[in-house]
Amino acid sequence: RLAPSTITSIACAFKHLYRCQLCDFPTGLSQFFSNRHRAYILKIASEKMRGLYPADRNSMGLSAAAYGRLLKCSIKMRPCGNKFPFSIIRHHPLFLKLSQSMCGRGERIVNIRYAFIGVWADAFRCKVPNSKSDQEGLMSYWKLFFANIIDPWWCPVLELAVHCACNTLCGDFEFIFPQSYRNGFRAHFKDFIQSVEEDDVNSMEICRHQLTVHSCKRTGVMMANSCEAVHWDQAELRADHKIGMNCVYMSGASPDQDAIMGRILSNLPFGTKEFESQMPHFEEAVSAALPMQKLFAGYDRYPPNFRVVMPFLVASLVYHQNHVLQHYHGHPILSSPLFTTQKYILQDLQTKL
């Protein structure tokens, strides 16, 4: 089988030929190559669905139910002797959620900086570096992600809140994931997958070796494409894929499509009232009065734009406090100020959401 990029190379050769002759590339010929390129991709996809391509050696995406179970396994994972220290495993849930909700490659997700995250209307927005040369995020575009108030296992805002509440003064206040995790995230992820119980793997209906770092991105793309309101090309843009024969990265998905995908990727049920639910938040006066320096270690060392985000993180922890208390036994979050020295805030703020 030819790779789809081969058709692109042939088209580029024709364009070069016309350019050498100082002639414009015919519109009809350009449309022909574009149509054949798209048709060939759809043909390969159809053959994969019929099992004509080997599927036992590649990473696989998961269904929403299976990925939800994987998220639960990551949150419930605890140290075992000298293996799996909390300094590593506490980053797994956030890595899984951001990789899936941003539809991003693992090596890009671990390089997200706090400065790349902000608030937009009723959502968070995040930039993911889309190339090795874009570590500053200057060529990246915003992607929206939303809170899930009905299923906290899926809520990326809650997991970001847990992550920040567990940070210490020795933490990294530039990158979300510390250098120890960034440098070995593939090995850490593999260790996590190996630690997942056999019953959990069987329930996901997938072979263990098919669960790779790229499975997270594949799952996100599959979930986005599963909604009839999402155009296929917009899902491709969300995943930082090149579109058609132009072989260039576009500016990103359209705002309305990105908002729909952001909600779908937070596993909000499409077509229901909950799909348009807002994330937990406080009135401005309440947010301004929060003792942020007491709740988050090194609060003043976070970038200014991320400090604007942090009251929403407190609101998420207050809203989901029962979930945290029930399912995060032995987790550093229960030793954080919000659940120890400042725990009175949980009750005081609950009525102010």
Side-chain angles (χ1 to χ4, degrees), residues 200-314:
D200 291 316
V201 175
N202 292 337
S203 71
M204 299 175 199
E205 298 182 343
I206 192 172
C207 297
R208 192 183 296 269
H209 67 268
Q210 293 176 306
L211 285 171
T212 69
V213 170
H214 202 57
S215 296
C216 306
K217 177 178 180 177
R218 287 177 179 268
T219 299
V221 175
M222 288 169 58
M223 290 181 66
N225 279 312
S226 69
C227 178
E228 63 270 22
V230 174
H231 299 292
W232 71 268
D233 57 332
Q234 300 299 302
E236 294 294 306
L237 291 174
R238 175 88 179 192
D240 299 319
H241 290 166
K242 298 176 182 178
I243 298 296
M245 300 297 296
N246 293 328
C247 281
V248 295
Y249 292 106
M250 303 299 184
S251 59
S254 62
D256 56 337
Q257 286 279 290
D258 195 59
I260 293 174
M261 286 187 286
R263 294 183 184 276
I264 290 170
L265 292 168
S266 289
N267 204 33
L268 291 168
F270 180 72
T272 67
K273 185 188 302 183
E274 290 79 8
F275 188 74
E276 299 181 0
S277 59
Q278 293 187 340
M279 64 180 170
H281 61 280
F282 303 115
E283 296 290 341
E284 288 188 15
V286 177
S287 295
L290 290 173
M292 302 302 288
Q293 286 86 354
K294 295 181 180 179
L295 299 180
F296 296 98
Y299 171 76
D300 295 324
R301 295 169 62 185
Y302 287 99
N305 66 301
F306 189 77
R307 291 202 292 269
V308 176
V309 167
M310 299 181 84
F312 293 93
L313 303 184
V314 176

Side-chain angles (χ1 to χ4, degrees), residues 107-216:
E107 60 267 27
R108 307 287 183 256
I109 295 298
V110 294
N111 284 304
I112 295 177
R113 306 184 184 202
Y114 287 109
F116 294 174
I117 297 179
V119 176
W120 185 84
D122 61 341
F124 277 29
R125 62 179 187 174
C126 178
K127 290 196 295 186
V128 180
N130 57 28
S131 68
K132 293 181 180 179
S133 60
D134 186 33
Q135 298 306 307
E136 298 292 334
L138 300 178
M139 297 185 293
S140 306
Y141 49 85
W142 296 106
K143 300 179 185 180
L144 300 179
F145 66 96
F146 292 77
N148 188 324
I149 63 172
I150 59 176
D151 188 354
W153 295 108
W154 277 89
C155 184
V157 176
L158 173 62
E159 206 54 53
L160 181 61
V162 170
H163 177 87
C164 292
C166 294
N167 282 345
T168 67
L169 290 173
C170 298
D172 189 331
F173 294 91
E174 180 180 6
F175 292 91
I176 289 182
F177 299 99
Q179 186 173 6
S180 59
Y181 193 83
R182 297 199 305 271
N183 290 344
F185 75 95
R186 292 187 186 278
H188 299 322
F189 185 88
K190 185 176 181 180
D191 289 341
F192 159 60
I193 295 301
Q194 294 302 317
S195 72
V196 176
E197 297 290 339
E198 196 65 33
D199 289 343
D200 291 316
V201 175
N202 292 337
S203 71
M204 299 175 199
E205 298 182 343
I206 192 172
C207 297
R208 192 183 296 269
H209 67 268
Q210 293 176 306
L211 285 171
T212 69
V213 170
H214 202 57
S215 296
C216 306

Side-chain angles (χ1 to χ4, degrees), residues 315-328:
S316 184
L317 287 169
V318 172
Y319 187 87
H320 294 295
Q321 59 180 291
N322 292 333
H323 172 80
V324 173
L325 291 170
Q326 183 178 355
H327 298 289
Y328 284 71

